[in-house]
Amino acid sequence: MKNTKKLSIFATIILFFTFSLAGCQNNQEKAKPKTDQITVTYTLKDNKKAFANKKVYLKKNSTVATGLKKTWKVKSQKEFITAIDGKSQNPQKKIYWTYTVNGKMVNKSAYQQKLKNKDKVVFTRSKY
């Protein structure tokens, strides 16, 4: 009888510590920072005047278009951005949307250009 009682108490203690440690392990996982997320700053300009600026949180390897669409209403045609936030291109007047990443022009579509953490994207609508 004594052995059964001791065994029961011992088993209860083991179960208690097992669940306690499992609970601690889950809390540690939640405290870890998200390593699969990046922060990108977007600025929209009409000619040289900025009219919008937002910081966007995206998954790693997201494209320029992904962050743009997450924040503003975007229209596109064949992977070319044609309107952002109601401001459209006008081919007859040679007014187009272009963009830079970290101050450099990019030779890829916004749907193809991948982003890195802390990139700065500027979309400018102007005459070319």
Side-chain angles (χ1 to χ4, degrees):
M1 184 75 144
K2 280 186 173 182
N3 284 343
T4 306
K5 194 173 186 180
K6 285 182 183 179
L7 185 61
S8 176
I9 291 171
F10 183 71
T12 303
I13 292 172
I14 295 291
L15 284 172
F16 173 77
F17 282 112
T18 301
F19 288 118
S20 295
L21 291 175
C24 291
Q25 185 177 13
N26 287 340
N27 288 339
Q28 289 174 350
E29 288 177 14
K30 290 179 184 175
K32 290 180 183 177
K34 292 183 177 181
T35 56
D36 64 336
Q37 194 173 39
I38 61 173
T39 304
V40 179
T41 303
Y42 281 81
T43 303
L44 301 182
K45 292 182 176 182
D46 202 356
N47 287 316
K48 294 182 182 181
K49 186 177 179 182
F51 67 90
N53 190 17
K54 293 189 182 179
K55 196 174 275 194
V56 183
Y57 300 94
L58 302 167
K59 291 181 181 178
K60 274 186 179 178
N61 294 318
S62 290
T63 64
V64 170
T66 302
L68 188 67
K69 285 181 165 188
K70 185 175 181 180
T71 311
W72 291 282
K73 186 176 178 182
V74 176
K75 290 184 181 179
S76 60
Q77 188 175 24
K78 296 182 182 181
E79 292 196 0
F80 288 101
I81 305 297
T82 58
I84 304 172
D85 205 29
K87 297 185 183 283
S88 298
Q89 298 186 143
N90 188 332
Q92 289 80 16
K93 293 183 180 180
K94 298 184 181 185
I95 296 174
Y96 297 97
W97 279 105
T98 59
Y99 76 97
T100 61
V101 177
N102 301 322
K104 297 178 182 175
M105 290 295 283
V106 181
N107 290 331
K108 290 183 181 179
S109 158
Y111 289 88
Q112 296 172 341
Q113 181 63 41
K114 303 279 184 182
L115 293 167
K116 296 181 208 141
N117 193 33
K118 297 185 181 178
D119 276 347
K120 291 178 175 45
V121 179
V122 177
F123 273 87
T124 306
R125 187 179 81 143
S126 61
K127 191 171 185 172
Y128 289 95

PDB file of all heavy atoms in Angstrom, residues 5-6 15 18 27 33 48 51 55 59 62 70 120 122-123 128:
ATOM      1  N   LYS A   5       1.100   4.255  -2.885  1.00  0.00           N
ATOM      2  CA  LYS A   5       0.883   5.661  -2.528  1.00  0.00           C
ATOM      3  C   LYS A   5       2.094   6.497  -2.947  1.00  0.00           C
ATOM      4  O   LYS A   5       1.956   7.579  -3.507  1.00  0.00           O
ATOM      5  CB  LYS A   5       0.619   5.783  -1.030  1.00  0.00           C
ATOM      6  CG  LYS A   5       0.072   7.102  -0.611  1.00  0.00           C
ATOM      7  CD  LYS A   5      -0.317   7.073   0.841  1.00  0.00           C
ATOM      8  CE  LYS A   5      -1.006   8.363   1.226  1.00  0.00           C
ATOM      9  NZ  LYS A   5      -1.399   8.371   2.623  1.00  0.00           N
ATOM     10  N   LYS A   6       3.310   5.998  -2.688  1.00  0.00           N
ATOM     11  CA  LYS A   6       4.533   6.708  -3.075  1.00  0.00           C
ATOM     12  C   LYS A   6       4.625   6.825  -4.594  1.00  0.00           C
ATOM     13  O   LYS A   6       4.991   7.871  -5.125  1.00  0.00           O
ATOM     14  CB  LYS A   6       5.774   5.983  -2.529  1.00  0.00           C
ATOM     15  CG  LYS A   6       6.005   6.164  -1.075  1.00  0.00           C
ATOM     16  CD  LYS A   6       7.279   5.446  -0.656  1.00  0.00           C
ATOM     17  CE  LYS A   6       7.507   5.557   0.823  1.00  0.00           C
ATOM     18  NZ  LYS A   6       8.715   4.849   1.234  1.00  0.00           N
ATOM     19  N   LEU A  15       4.291  14.468 -13.586  1.00  0.00           N
ATOM     20  CA  LEU A  15       3.341  15.078 -14.521  1.00  0.00           C
ATOM     21  C   LEU A  15       3.287  16.588 -14.337  1.00  0.00           C
ATOM     22  O   LEU A  15       3.240  17.346 -15.304  1.00  0.00           O
ATOM     23  CB  LEU A  15       1.941  14.476 -14.350  1.00  0.00           C
ATOM     24  CG  LEU A  15       1.743  13.083 -14.934  1.00  0.00           C
ATOM     25  CD1 LEU A  15       0.387  12.513 -14.522  1.00  0.00           C
ATOM     26  CD2 LEU A  15       1.834  13.131 -16.442  1.00  0.00           C
ATOM     27  N   THR A  18       6.390  18.117 -15.858  1.00  0.00           N
ATOM     28  CA  THR A  18       6.369  17.960 -17.313  1.00  0.00           C
ATOM     29  C   THR A  18       5.494  19.036 -17.951  1.00  0.00           C
ATOM     30  O   THR A  18       5.897  19.705 -18.904  1.00  0.00           O
ATOM     31  CB  THR A  18       5.853  16.557 -17.701  1.00  0.00           C
ATOM     32  OG1 THR A  18       6.704  15.579 -17.120  1.00  0.00           O
ATOM     33  CG2 THR A  18       5.825  16.398 -19.213  1.00  0.00           C
ATOM     34  N   ASN A  27       6.053  29.632 -24.033  1.00  0.00           N
ATOM     35  CA  ASN A  27       6.210  31.068 -23.803  1.00  0.00           C
ATOM     36  C   ASN A  27       7.505  31.581 -24.406  1.00  0.00           C
ATOM     37  O   ASN A  27       7.566  32.693 -24.904  1.00  0.00           O
ATOM     38  CB  ASN A  27       6.167  31.388 -22.306  1.00  0.00           C
ATOM     39  CG  ASN A  27       4.762  31.233 -21.742  1.00  0.00           C
ATOM     40  OD1 ASN A  27       3.799  31.278 -22.487  1.00  0.00           O
ATOM     41  ND2 ASN A  27       4.658  31.040 -20.437  1.00  0.00           N
ATOM     42  N   PRO A  33      11.576  37.165 -31.660  1.00  0.00           N
ATOM     43  CA  PRO A  33      11.154  38.140 -32.682  1.00  0.00           C
ATOM     44  C   PRO A  33      10.872  37.438 -34.005  1.00  0.00           C
ATOM     45  O   PRO A  33      11.443  36.396 -34.296  1.00  0.00           O
ATOM     46  CB  PRO A  33      12.360  39.072 -32.806  1.00  0.00           C
ATOM     47  CG  PRO A  33      13.513  38.276 -32.312  1.00  0.00           C
ATOM     48  CD  PRO A  33      12.964  37.315 -31.294  1.00  0.00           C
ATOM     49  N   LYS A  48       7.482  66.231 -58.015  1.00  0.00           N
ATOM     50  CA  LYS A  48       8.483  66.173 -56.944  1.00  0.00           C
ATOM     51  C   LYS A  48       7.858  66.305 -55.559  1.00  0.00           C
ATOM     52  O   LYS A  48       8.552  66.270 -54.557  1.00  0.00           O
ATOM     53  CB  LYS A  48       9.520  67.273 -57.149  1.00  0.00           C
ATOM     54  CG  LYS A  48      10.336  67.059 -58.400  1.00  0.00           C
ATOM     55  CD  LYS A  48      11.380  68.116 -58.573  1.00  0.00           C
ATOM     56  CE  LYS A  48      12.153  67.878 -59.869  1.00  0.00           C
ATOM     57  NZ  LYS A  48      13.207  68.846 -60.088  1.00  0.00           N
ATOM     58  N   PHE A  51       3.057  63.011 -51.466  1.00  0.00           N
ATOM     59  CA  PHE A  51       1.704  63.128 -50.940  1.00  0.00           C
ATOM     60  C   PHE A  51       1.315  61.966 -50.028  1.00  0.00           C
ATOM     61  O   PHE A  51       0.250  61.980 -49.415  1.00  0.00           O
ATOM     62  CB  PHE A  51       0.671  63.304 -52.069  1.00  0.00           C
ATOM     63  CG  PHE A  51       0.510  62.115 -52.970  1.00  0.00           C
ATOM     64  CD1 PHE A  51      -0.420  61.129 -52.698  1.00  0.00           C
ATOM     65  CD2 PHE A  51       1.275  62.006 -54.127  1.00  0.00           C
ATOM     66  CE1 PHE A  51      -0.582  60.049 -53.543  1.00  0.00           C
ATOM     67  CE2 PHE A  51       1.115  60.933 -54.984  1.00  0.00           C
ATOM     68  CZ  PHE A  51       0.182  59.950 -54.689  1.00  0.00           C
ATOM     69  N   LYS A  55       5.019  53.138 -43.624  1.00  0.00           N
ATOM     70  CA  LYS A  55       5.896  52.019 -43.303  1.00  0.00           C
ATOM     71  C   LYS A  55       5.045  50.748 -43.393  1.00  0.00           C
ATOM     72  O   LYS A  55       3.953  50.689 -42.835  1.00  0.00           O
ATOM     73  CB  LYS A  55       6.444  52.183 -41.890  1.00  0.00           C
ATOM     74  CG  LYS A  55       7.625  51.308 -41.589  1.00  0.00           C
ATOM     75  CD  LYS A  55       8.194  51.634 -40.229  1.00  0.00           C
ATOM     76  CE  LYS A  55       9.161  52.789 -40.387  1.00  0.00           C
ATOM     77  NZ  LYS A  55      10.015  52.979 -39.222  1.00  0.00           N
ATOM     78  N   LYS A  59       6.404  39.982 -45.524  1.00  0.00           N
ATOM     79  CA  LYS A  59       7.201  38.762 -45.401  1.00  0.00           C
ATOM     80  C   LYS A  59       8.489  38.941 -46.184  1.00  0.00           C
ATOM     81  O   LYS A  59       8.527  39.684 -47.160  1.00  0.00           O
ATOM     82  CB  LYS A  59       6.432  37.562 -45.961  1.00  0.00           C
ATOM     83  CG  LYS A  59       5.245  37.168 -45.127  1.00  0.00           C
ATOM     84  CD  LYS A  59       4.564  35.964 -45.735  1.00  0.00           C
ATOM     85  CE  LYS A  59       3.355  35.580 -44.913  1.00  0.00           C
ATOM     86  NZ  LYS A  59       2.638  34.446 -45.488  1.00  0.00           N
ATOM     87  N   SER A  62       9.264  39.553 -50.298  1.00  0.00           N
ATOM     88  CA  SER A  62       8.079  40.134 -50.935  1.00  0.00           C
ATOM     89  C   SER A  62       8.526  41.067 -52.050  1.00  0.00           C
ATOM     90  O   SER A  62       9.655  41.552 -52.063  1.00  0.00           O
ATOM     91  CB  SER A  62       7.261  40.926 -49.917  1.00  0.00           C
ATOM     92  OG  SER A  62       6.659  40.066 -48.997  1.00  0.00           O
ATOM     93  N   LYS A  70      -0.755  46.328 -50.566  1.00  0.00           N
ATOM     94  CA  LYS A  70      -1.185  46.149 -49.185  1.00  0.00           C
ATOM     95  C   LYS A  70      -1.627  47.486 -48.577  1.00  0.00           C
ATOM     96  O   LYS A  70      -2.457  47.516 -47.687  1.00  0.00           O
ATOM     97  CB  LYS A  70      -0.041  45.553 -48.367  1.00  0.00           C
ATOM     98  CG  LYS A  70      -0.388  45.211 -46.953  1.00  0.00           C
ATOM     99  CD  LYS A  70       0.763  44.527 -46.255  1.00  0.00           C
ATOM    100  CE  LYS A  70       0.377  44.178 -44.825  1.00  0.00           C
ATOM    101  NZ  LYS A  70       1.468  43.514 -44.135  1.00  0.00           N
ATOM    102  N   LYS A 120      13.765  51.483 -48.953  1.00  0.00           N
ATOM    103  CA  LYS A 120      12.944  52.672 -49.139  1.00  0.00           C
ATOM    104  C   LYS A 120      12.507  52.718 -50.605  1.00  0.00           C
ATOM    105  O   LYS A 120      13.340  52.820 -51.497  1.00  0.00           O
ATOM    106  CB  LYS A 120      13.726  53.925 -48.769  1.00  0.00           C
ATOM    107  CG  LYS A 120      14.002  54.033 -47.278  1.00  0.00           C
ATOM    108  CD  LYS A 120      14.828  55.259 -46.969  1.00  0.00           C
ATOM    109  CE  LYS A 120      15.054  55.514 -45.522  1.00  0.00           C
ATOM    110  NZ  LYS A 120      15.413  54.500 -44.657  1.00  0.00           N
ATOM    111  N   VAL A 122      10.229  54.570 -53.533  1.00  0.00           N
ATOM    112  CA  VAL A 122       9.582  55.827 -53.891  1.00  0.00           C
ATOM    113  C   VAL A 122       8.938  55.660 -55.262  1.00  0.00           C
ATOM    114  O   VAL A 122       9.624  55.353 -56.237  1.00  0.00           O
ATOM    115  CB  VAL A 122      10.584  57.004 -53.910  1.00  0.00           C
ATOM    116  CG1 VAL A 122       9.888  58.290 -54.350  1.00  0.00           C
ATOM    117  CG2 VAL A 122      11.236  57.182 -52.548  1.00  0.00           C
ATOM    118  N   PHE A 123       7.625  55.854 -55.320  1.00  0.00           N
ATOM    119  CA  PHE A 123       6.895  55.861 -56.584  1.00  0.00           C
ATOM    120  C   PHE A 123       6.647  57.310 -56.955  1.00  0.00           C
ATOM    121  O   PHE A 123       6.151  58.092 -56.140  1.00  0.00           O
ATOM    122  CB  PHE A 123       5.558  55.128 -56.459  1.00  0.00           C
ATOM    123  CG  PHE A 123       5.666  53.658 -56.707  1.00  0.00           C
ATOM    124  CD1 PHE A 123       5.980  52.795 -55.675  1.00  0.00           C
ATOM    125  CD2 PHE A 123       5.453  53.128 -57.966  1.00  0.00           C
ATOM    126  CE1 PHE A 123       6.084  51.437 -55.908  1.00  0.00           C
ATOM    127  CE2 PHE A 123       5.556  51.776 -58.203  1.00  0.00           C
ATOM    128  CZ  PHE A 123       5.874  50.933 -57.173  1.00  0.00           C
ATOM    129  N   TYR A 128       7.576  62.184 -68.736  1.00  0.00           N
ATOM    130  CA  TYR A 128       8.855  61.674 -69.270  1.00  0.00           C
ATOM    131  C   TYR A 128       8.922  61.889 -70.753  1.00  0.00           C
ATOM    132  O   TYR A 128       7.994  61.899 -71.465  1.00  0.00           O
ATOM    133  CB  TYR A 128       9.004  60.181 -68.950  1.00  0.00           C
ATOM    134  CG  TYR A 128       9.262  59.960 -67.492  1.00  0.00           C
ATOM    135  CD1 TYR A 128       8.214  59.686 -66.623  1.00  0.00           C
ATOM    136  CD2 TYR A 128      10.541  60.073 -66.976  1.00  0.00           C
ATOM    137  CE1 TYR A 128       8.446  59.490 -65.266  1.00  0.00           C
ATOM    138  CE2 TYR A 128      10.774  59.880 -65.628  1.00  0.00           C
ATOM    139  CZ  TYR A 128       9.730  59.588 -64.787  1.00  0.00           C
ATOM    140  OH  TYR A 128       9.956  59.406 -63.460  1.00  0.00           O
TER     141      TYR A 128
END
